[in-house]
């Protein structure tokens, strides 16, 4: 009776997961206590599902959060420490049960072991119930014949006969791209594999400059592109790359939404701004909601090493909510607070001038940047009381002296007239407000 109930429970569970029971190797759950427990939870309807987004090129319904396979849990320290495959299995089972269906690996991750490990962890699930992404390491290729050899090896490592998403890995410079993908015929070969059905969607991941981007983006009809994007990189090249994809209706996959983990916790003062707004949300959730709020993002990849990260990400993407206007304003304030120990990227071009309230905008930023270089930015949350008092005094004295004849940040009323004129996309009113708060 117990067994029968278990079987019924599994059927219910699979329905929730949107899978056919016949195609799932339920037996493989047998020796996996975690998965058994999970199966029960699914059966009881306790398993929430992350939101999915449709790929406009082929109709794939892809989870808005994808599972990156570059940072698996390991037994030991360092890049080449052996992967803890049991923990990977737990993570994958949990992710899969919650609807995460995009798994992103590469030839080089974990010293060449990532492809085999993720494929092994996924083998209990029907091949058509998830999307597997892999990448050609063009930067390794020294001669023409290697491209096909590597591709065949990848299919073998992954024990599959096709990749759902396949990328030219990490395009960084034009000579490197030209040699492998044009001269050696790498693009032609991979495109022929697409025609043959062993690649479903062909794209590239990008780490180059705008010159390379402008060259490569229209060179071939790419199905998708993977770029680095988060709320810090947006102001650098992120916006340019994202908008370029949006214009061309090329789906965008995001890497580094947490900027290598840095956006999982900002400075104490910036964290406080976000926590005051949404006390129950993690700092990381703001970064994920930021990229998920961009409509042309198909999925945002996260290398989830720990179960608590995975659980938090699933919470963020279940019943996903885009950032509201007021949340965007809060995030901007936190960004300014976070970046206050960094130089403001003002180039003194003066396009923002004149300010109707006679604020000497570029000089204010120049003065601020001098104090940054001298490590004299005060922060109550980040410094001891003595340090804070000392830095506050220096900050106020410096500004008083520099603007003895007017033009100080204190004259800013936040009208916003300057902001659209700034080619560096600086949030000038927010920056002025932050500087003013140190002058009180
Ligand atoms: S926001 Fe401030 S600095 Fe900018 S134009 Fe208005 S008053 Fe001047
Ligand atoms: S437009 Fe922007 S970069 Fe140029 S001076 Fe004004 S704040 Fe600085």
């Amino acid at each position: 009776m117990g067994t029968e109930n278990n079987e019924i429970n599994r059927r219910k569970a699979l329905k929730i997961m949107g899978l056919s029971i016949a195609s799932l190797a339920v037996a493989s759950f047998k020796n996996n206590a975690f998965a058994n427990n999970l199966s029960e939870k699914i059966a009881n309807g306790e398993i929430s599902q992350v939101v999915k987004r449709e790929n406009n090129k082929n109709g794939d319904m892809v989870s808005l959060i994808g599972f990156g396979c570059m940072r698996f849990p390991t037994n030991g320290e360092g890049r080449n420490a052996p992967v803890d495959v049991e923990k990977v299995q737990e993570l994958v089972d949990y992710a899969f049960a919650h609807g995460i269906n995009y798994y992103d690996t590469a030839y080089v991750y974990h010293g060449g072991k990532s492809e085999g490990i993720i494929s092994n962890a996924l083998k209990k699930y029907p091949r058509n119930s998830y999307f597997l992404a892999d990448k050609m390491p063009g930067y390794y290729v020294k001669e023409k014949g290697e491209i096909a050899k590597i591709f065949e090896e990848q299919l073998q490592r992954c024990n599959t006969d096709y990749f759902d998403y396949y990328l030219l890995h990490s395009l960084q410079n034009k000579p490197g791209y030209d040699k492998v993908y044009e001269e050696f015929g790498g693009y032609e070969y991979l495109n022929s594999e697409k025609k043959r059905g062993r690649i479903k969607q062909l794209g590239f991941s990008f780490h180059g400059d705008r010159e390379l981007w402008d060259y490569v983006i229209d060179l071939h009809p790419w199905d998708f592109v993977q770029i680095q994007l988060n709320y810090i990189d947006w102001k650098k090249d992120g916006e340019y790359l994202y908008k370029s994809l949006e214009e061309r209706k090329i789906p965008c996959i995001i890497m580094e939404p947490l900027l290598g983990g840095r956006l999982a916790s900002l400075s104490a003062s910036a964290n406080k701004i976000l926590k005051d707004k949404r006390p129950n949300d993690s700092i990381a959730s703001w970064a994920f909601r930021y990229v998920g709020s961009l409509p042309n993002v198909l999925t945002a990849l996260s290398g989830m090493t720990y179960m608590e990260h995975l659980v938090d990400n699933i919470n963020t993407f279940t019943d996903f909510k885009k950032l509201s206007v007021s949340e965007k304003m809060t995030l901007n304030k936190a960004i300014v607070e976070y970046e206050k120990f960094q130089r403001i990227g003002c180039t003194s071009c003066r396009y923002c001038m004149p300010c109707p309230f006679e604020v000497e905008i570029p000089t204010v930023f120049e003065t601020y940047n001098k104090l940054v270089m001298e490590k004299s930015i005060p922060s109550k949350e980040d410094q001891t009381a003595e340090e804070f008092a000392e830095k506050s005094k220096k900050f106020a004295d410096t500004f008083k002296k520099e603007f003895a004849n007017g033009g100080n940040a204190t004259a800013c009323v936040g009208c916003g007239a300057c902001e659209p004129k700034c080619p560096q996309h600086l949030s000038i009113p927010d920056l002025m407000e932050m500087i003013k708060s140190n002058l009180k």
Side-chain angles (χ1 to χ4, degrees), residues 36 67 85 127 133 193 196 200 241 258 305 329 363 386 391 421:
N36 268 334
F67 196 110
V85 290
R127 181 63 186 86
E193 289 297 349
R196 218 178 137 185
K200 305 287 180 197
L241 305 187
L258 283 182
T305 313
M329 284 163 68
T363 317
E386 295 76 37
K391 288 179 198 289
K421 299 182 204 157

Side-chain angles (χ1 to χ4, degrees), residues 25 28 89 118-127 130 159:
S28 64
Q89 188 70 62
I118 189 60
S119 306
N120 209 34
L122 286 165
K123 74 177 181 213
K124 64 171 71 165
Y125 304 113
R127 181 63 186 86
Y130 59 86
N159 195 22

